[in-house]
Amino acid sequence: MRIAVIGAGVAGLACASELASAGHDVVVLESSRSVGGRAATRRTEAGAFDDGCPLLARGSWLLELAPLGLELACFAERETPVPSMETLCVALGAGLDVRAGVRVARIVRAARGTTVRIESGDGIDLGAFDRVAVTAPAPRSAELLADGEPDLAERAGRVLYAPCWTALAAWDERLALDFDWHREAAGATPVAWACRESAKPGREPGERWTVQAGPLWSRARLGDDGDIVARDLVAALGLLGHEPLPPPTLLLAHRWRFARCVEPLREPCLVSEDLCIGAAGDWCAPPPAPGDPGALQEGLGVPAALHAGRALARALIA
Ligand SMILES: Cc1cc2nc3c(=O)[nH]c(=O)nc-3n(C[C@H](O)[C@H](O)[C@H](O)COP(=O)(O)OP(=O)(O)OC[C@H]3O[C@@H](n4cnc5c(N)ncnc54)[C@H](O)[C@@H]3O)c2cc1C
């Protein structure tokens, strides 16, 4: 079958590689210039930053990454792919036909059980496919599903996310901060996560910090100007070290509107009755392990995206 996968994040690439391994003709359409989605790495003139997902949680799910031949190293009580987070998606996407810079705007179906057409934002026909897998964050997936599968769109539309403001800052000199990372669960300061990028294993040298705000602070400041938000996050980093920081030589802000899923769908994926259109992502959480009510929360994020992408592949070709 000819199958289109929309999105080259963890879920889309996991889905596409499972479909390609089963012998299908798969094309991955990605709106950004590179793979990774929220598990990407941002390159700047000052060096690279893991500006989305910073680290991978430990757990048995990591064994599923073994066939990828990734190098994983320990940092801040979690694991990081070496030399960058995006290595995970580069490995997941190896050998796949990934078309970057292609934003899908519409999924059009003529009748049940026939092929599905896809259109880009400027109305260009991207072709006809036997199956389409949508793997954007749930609110974006809901928009794409609205025409062809309104019922699936409504279910995806119920999923809730927390936003995350992220500041990326670099300095010419090493800062006097005597820690390489800081994690704050209680939300006592704006900073939920801060990390000296060069302290992560296998990274290039240079004083670069990624500072991520907690969900409440991020939501309260969601409409604010990125430059101001980034300055405030750097100031908050300075307070953690008990002294103001010098002005950074590079300061960027990234507003993740849909950073982490907080209220997922309790299904492994969504698939239309005729199996032509499906959707999945980190918003399709696997059910909690029996007797372990905390397992679902632990599994959200990258592990959920990986499982959901694979579940969607299996469901589409069942
Ligand atoms: C700041 C932050 C911190 C995080 N921390 C952690 C953590 O500590 N641990 C953890 O496990 N997870 C964490 N996560 C979450 C984790 O990154 C995500 O759960 C996971 O990467 C989601 O993968 P996905 O494939 O489901 O979605 P995405 O990564 O969002 O991939 C979807 C892809 O679809 C593309 N796309 C969207 N719309 C279209 C369209 N119309 N046409 C074409 N392409 C489209 C997007 O560009 C994107 O590449 C964090 C995320 C953020 C942002």
Side-chain angles (χ1 to χ4, degrees), residues 7 9-11 30-31 37-38 53-54 102 104 135 212 259-260 281-282 301-302:
V10 173
E30 166 57 49
S31 56
R38 281 169 281 154
C53 176
V102 179
V104 173
T135 69
Q212 295 183 329
R260 299 207 64 171
D282 64 339
V302 171

Side-chain angles (χ1 to χ4, degrees), residues 205-297:
E207 189 69 346
R208 301 182 305 285
W209 282 80
T210 299
V211 187
Q212 295 183 329
L216 292 179
W217 194 91
S218 296
R219 192 171 296 288
R221 304 284 304 265
L222 204 57
D224 286 7
D225 179 77
D227 292 342
I228 296 170
V229 167
R231 278 203 295 274
D232 288 350
L233 285 176
V234 166
L237 175 67
L239 287 178
L240 293 175
H242 305 294
E243 58 181 280
L245 302 177
T249 50
L250 173 129
L251 183 60
L252 301 170
H254 190 134
R255 175 177 40 204
W256 297 99
R257 282 188 185 277
F258 310 116
R260 299 207 64 171
C261 184
V262 290
E263 189 57 55
L265 198 79
R266 305 268 157 172
E267 295 171 60
C269 60
L270 293 174
V271 187
S272 64
E273 259 174 46
D274 61 6
L275 306 186
C276 276
I277 302 179
D282 64 339
W283 45 279
C284 300
D292 187 359
L296 179 62
Q297 201 57 36

Side-chain angles (χ1 to χ4, degrees), residues 102-269:
V102 179
R103 192 178 75 81
V104 173
R106 275 188 80 205
I107 300 172
V108 189
R109 59 192 306 162
R112 300 234 146 221
T114 63
T115 54
V116 179
R117 302 202 76 85
I118 293 183
E119 284 176 13
S120 74
D122 34 18
I124 294 173
D125 187 350
L126 297 169
F129 298 88
D130 303 297
R131 299 280 187 268
V132 176
V134 182
T135 69
R140 299 284 176 250
S141 290
E143 287 165 17
L144 286 171
L145 292 165
D147 282 349
E149 283 298 326
D151 172 51
L152 302 191
E154 193 271 321
R155 282 149 77 194
R158 281 188 236 145
V159 168
L160 298 179
Y161 279 85
C164 177
W165 266 115
T166 298
L168 312 177
W171 287 264
D172 288 339
E173 303 289 332
R174 189 180 164 90
L175 299 176
L177 298 172
D178 61 357
F179 54 89
D180 286 333
W181 58 274
H182 174 90
R183 186 181 285 123
E184 181 118 9
T189 78
V191 181
W193 167 253
C195 157
R196 179 177 266 135
E197 287 288 339
S198 58
K200 286 180 166 177
R203 266 52 173 190
E204 63 207 301
E207 189 69 346
R208 301 182 305 285
W209 282 80
T210 299
V211 187
Q212 295 183 329
L216 292 179
W217 194 91
S218 296
R219 192 171 296 288
R221 304 284 304 265
L222 204 57
D224 286 7
D225 179 77
D227 292 342
I228 296 170
V229 167
R231 278 203 295 274
D232 288 350
L233 285 176
V234 166
L237 175 67
L239 287 178
L240 293 175
H242 305 294
E243 58 181 280
L245 302 177
T249 50
L250 173 129
L251 183 60
L252 301 170
H254 190 134
R255 175 177 40 204
W256 297 99
R257 282 188 185 277
F258 310 116
R260 299 207 64 171
C261 184
V262 290
E263 189 57 55
L265 198 79
R266 305 268 157 172
E267 295 171 60
C269 60

